[in-house]
Amino acid sequence: MAREMNASEEQERESSEWNVRELSAGEFDALSAASEYGGFQQTSEMAALAQSEGMQTQYVGLVDSHDVPVAGALVAFSQGRFGVEGSLWLGPLCNGNDGEQMTALTDGLREVAERVHAISLTCWPNQVYCVRDSQGKAMAEPNDEMVREYERLGWKHAGFTRGYDALMNRWNYVKDLREFSNAGELLASYAKNTRRNVKIARNSGVEVRRLNRSELNVFHDICELSSERQHFVNRSLDYFERVYDAFGDKAEFMVAEVHLDRYLQSWEEKLAKFSKDAERLERSLEHTKYPDDVRKKLDTAQKNVESARRRIENAHERIARDGEVVPVAVGLFMWHERELVYFSSGSDDRYAKFYAPTALQHEMMSRCLERGVTRYNFYGISGVFDDPEDDGRGVLEFKQGFDGYVEELPGEFTLPVNKLRCGVSDLAHKLLRR
């Protein structure tokens, strides 16, 4: 009598339908482009960036019986304190709920890690754990099955953290662009204050353009201003140059500049108009039947005149100090077939009331519509929604103004490969955190 297979034997039989092999760069990029979990961190361009930092990379692919890739991961190996460590940045490209594929891919990843004598693999799956509204309220049940599947295969979960992670965000703010056909419809979807700020920027001489490689020092220097203000460590100019070289047109270093000459001209024109209005109202006081109404209008006109004069004086001062065209906000935007990611940024706080960062966001989302990219990823938030004193509050409120939603990712998982050395590493990290 044939005996029934136990669960592990049945899983082994199912996973044998799949094979793991190294993919070419072209095969991997095609997989990333087609995968619902794809992103710029899982591409050949990211591999080139990792290699420029001295890392060894490999494209691990899970293929079906026709040798067609159905899942996979870019793995970057680097020398850690206790041995070689492998990283899967926002990978693997695999449905974490699919036990069959996850088993086969995990086995393949472990074999690759063993060949390079890695002590561990760490991944940050780009699969949503919980979808939340803009205020952080869950809109669906969390995907605990995915977490259990990783843990069943030996991946150790680092927990459901909040705050900004040093490597990969666990909380992202996203806007779905599918319902918009043009920039006007997009603008109308924003919160009232954000719509106003886009228009202020537009009327204040703010223009957005792409930086070339020789101008990356501008990007670095403006990011440095934000790093000093917000107490984080800025990336080096060399890093930005390597991103530029590795990603080519898929990485756009954008700058929002204030054209103070145009700003000055617009306020000089407004001053002329307000002055004429005030003069007309003063003359009408001599023969009007409603002097109180005219005086109110005259008071408003005179206030407008004074306001315009102050703006003109301020513009002259800024031009004398900074020049006629001033870069005041920058952003690094990473294109992928699936989305555009607002990866990093900086701004000059002296020009906060020109709302250049808001103009930058609107411009890049408008470009998404032109390219047919339907998902805009504002990237990281802290995941704290109910504490007005949270360090990430300003970032959250800025992104909320564009009326998107929140994707909570599952976070970090580590697969021990050399359990002894990995255990020593874990112990050391625990002691250092005390």
Side-chain angles (χ1 to χ4, degrees):
M1 180 182 294
R3 67 178 179 86
E4 292 184 1
M5 289 188 296
N6 60 38
S8 62
E9 289 173 323
E10 186 173 355
Q11 188 72 67
E12 182 179 353
R13 186 189 72 176
E14 290 177 345
S15 63
S16 66
E17 297 175 10
W18 307 98
N19 292 311
V20 175
R21 66 169 174 85
E22 184 174 0
L23 301 181
S24 68
E27 285 179 313
F28 187 75
D29 283 340
L31 175 65
S32 178
S35 173
E36 63 180 297
Y37 314 115
F40 77 89
Q41 292 95 337
Q42 289 286 301
T43 60
S44 62
E45 290 84 10
M46 194 68 184
L49 179 61
Q51 290 162 13
S52 75
E53 297 177 348
M55 299 183 191
Q56 176 185 346
T57 63
Q58 186 166 344
Y59 308 113
V60 180
L62 184 67
V63 299
D64 62 17
S65 58
H66 301 287
D67 201 39
V68 176
V70 294
L74 163 64
V75 188
F77 293 102
S78 58
Q79 183 63 47
R81 198 174 197 178
F82 297 95
V84 175
E85 299 171 345
S87 297
L88 289 69
W89 300 306
L90 288 189
L93 305 176
C94 186
N95 182 354
N97 295 77
D98 189 324
E100 179 184 344
Q101 290 191 6
M102 280 297 299
T103 298
L105 184 57
T106 297
D107 289 344
L109 288 167
R110 185 183 286 107
E111 290 178 8
V112 169
E114 288 173 345
R115 285 201 296 270
V116 299
H117 307 292
I119 65 171
S120 64
L121 294 171
T122 301
C123 74
W124 296 263
N126 195 23
Q127 182 174 353
V128 178
Y129 170 71
C130 185
V131 178
R132 299 175 179 271
D133 66 16
S134 187
Q135 304 303 318
K137 182 179 179 181
M139 299 171 65
E141 291 297 318
N143 190 353
D144 291 316
E145 179 188 345
M146 168 181 52
V147 177
R148 287 193 294 268
E149 187 60 36
Y150 272 92
E151 291 178 330
R152 182 188 70 79
L153 293 169
W155 296 86
K156 295 182 178 179
H157 190 212
F160 296 107
T161 59
R162 295 180 188 268
Y164 293 102
D165 194 280
L167 286 176
M168 293 289 146
N169 302 313
R170 204 176 81 77
W171 299 82
N172 289 329
Y173 198 86
V174 177
K175 187 170 179 71
D176 186 347
L177 304 179
R178 286 176 294 182
E179 64 182 280
F180 309 112
S181 59
N182 57 60
E185 293 177 359
L186 179 66
L187 179 63
S189 73
Y190 304 159
K192 181 179 178 180
N193 285 345
T194 301
R195 293 198 304 272
R196 180 205 65 188
N197 294 345
V198 170
K199 294 174 182 176
I200 290 174
R202 182 182 298 157
N203 295 331
S204 300
V206 176
E207 291 193 6
V208 175
R209 68 176 179 89
R210 184 180 180 183
L211 293 168
N212 59 45
R213 194 180 192 281
S214 65
E215 297 177 295
L216 291 182
N217 61 302
V218 174
F219 186 92
H220 172 269
D221 292 348
I222 294 180
C223 286
E224 189 69 24
L225 294 176
S226 289
S227 70
E228 292 172 357
R229 187 172 66 250
Q230 299 174 13
H231 308 294
F232 66 86
V233 178
N234 187 22
R235 297 275 197 173
S236 68
L237 176 59
D238 173 69
Y239 170 80
F240 294 130
E241 290 173 339
R242 286 188 285 106
V243 170
Y244 191 101
D245 294 339
F247 280 87
D249 289 341
K250 292 184 178 180
E252 290 195 305
F253 290 83
M254 306 298 295
V255 61
E257 297 170 319
V258 176
H259 289 250
L260 288 171
D261 51 345
R262 299 176 193 170
Y263 176 74
L264 174 60
Q265 181 182 355
S266 71
W267 278 104
E268 287 175 337
E269 292 171 354
K270 289 176 183 177
L271 175 60
K273 177 184 179 300
F274 296 151
S275 297
K276 286 182 179 179
D277 290 342
E279 291 171 2
R280 177 180 54 79
L281 290 165
E282 283 180 343
R283 289 194 302 268
S284 72
L285 270 176
E286 299 174 2
H287 51 75
T288 182
K289 296 180 180 179
Y290 309 101
D292 290 342
D293 290 343
V294 173
R295 285 192 184 95
K296 288 180 182 178
K297 292 178 181 179
L298 177 59
D299 182 58
T300 299
Q302 290 173 336
K303 287 179 181 178
N304 287 338
V305 168
E306 290 305 312
S307 175
R309 285 175 177 165
R310 286 195 299 271
R311 302 274 186 142
I312 290 170
E313 181 182 358
N314 180 262
H316 281 297
E317 292 173 354
R318 288 179 184 272
I319 289 172
R321 184 189 67 200
D322 302 327
E324 290 189 338
V325 180
V326 189
V328 298
V330 293
L332 171 54
F333 298 85
M334 312 299 289
W335 290 96
H336 183 268
E337 287 81 356
R338 181 171 160 263
E339 65 180 3
L340 177 61
V341 178
Y342 173 43
F343 184 56
S344 63
S345 64
S347 63
D348 186 339
D349 204 39
R350 298 174 303 167
Y351 284 83
K353 291 187 178 180
F354 286 76
Y355 300 105
T358 307
L360 198 55
Q361 300 301 317
H362 179 63
E363 173 67 21
M364 298 311 290
M365 277 188 276
S366 299
R367 295 188 183 194
C368 284
L369 298 183
E370 294 171 2
R371 292 196 187 191
V373 175
T374 59
R375 174 183 161 89
Y376 188 80
N377 190 341
F378 284 92
Y379 219 44
I381 56 174
S382 69
V384 178
F385 300 91
D386 53 1
D387 182 2
E389 302 301 318
D390 179 63
D391 289 341
R393 189 70 183 185
V395 172
L396 173 65
E397 291 179 347
F398 173 74
K399 296 178 180 181
Q400 285 175 325
F402 294 93
D403 191 33
Y405 65 96
V406 176
E407 289 184 348
E408 180 186 356
L409 301 181
E412 180 181 300
F413 294 87
T414 298
L415 180 70
V417 178
N418 183 315
K419 293 186 178 181
L420 177 60
R421 293 171 69 188
C422 193
V424 172
S425 176
D426 288 344
L427 178 60
H429 282 106
K430 289 178 182 178
L431 292 173
L432 289 171
R433 282 197 291 266
R434 286 182 177 178

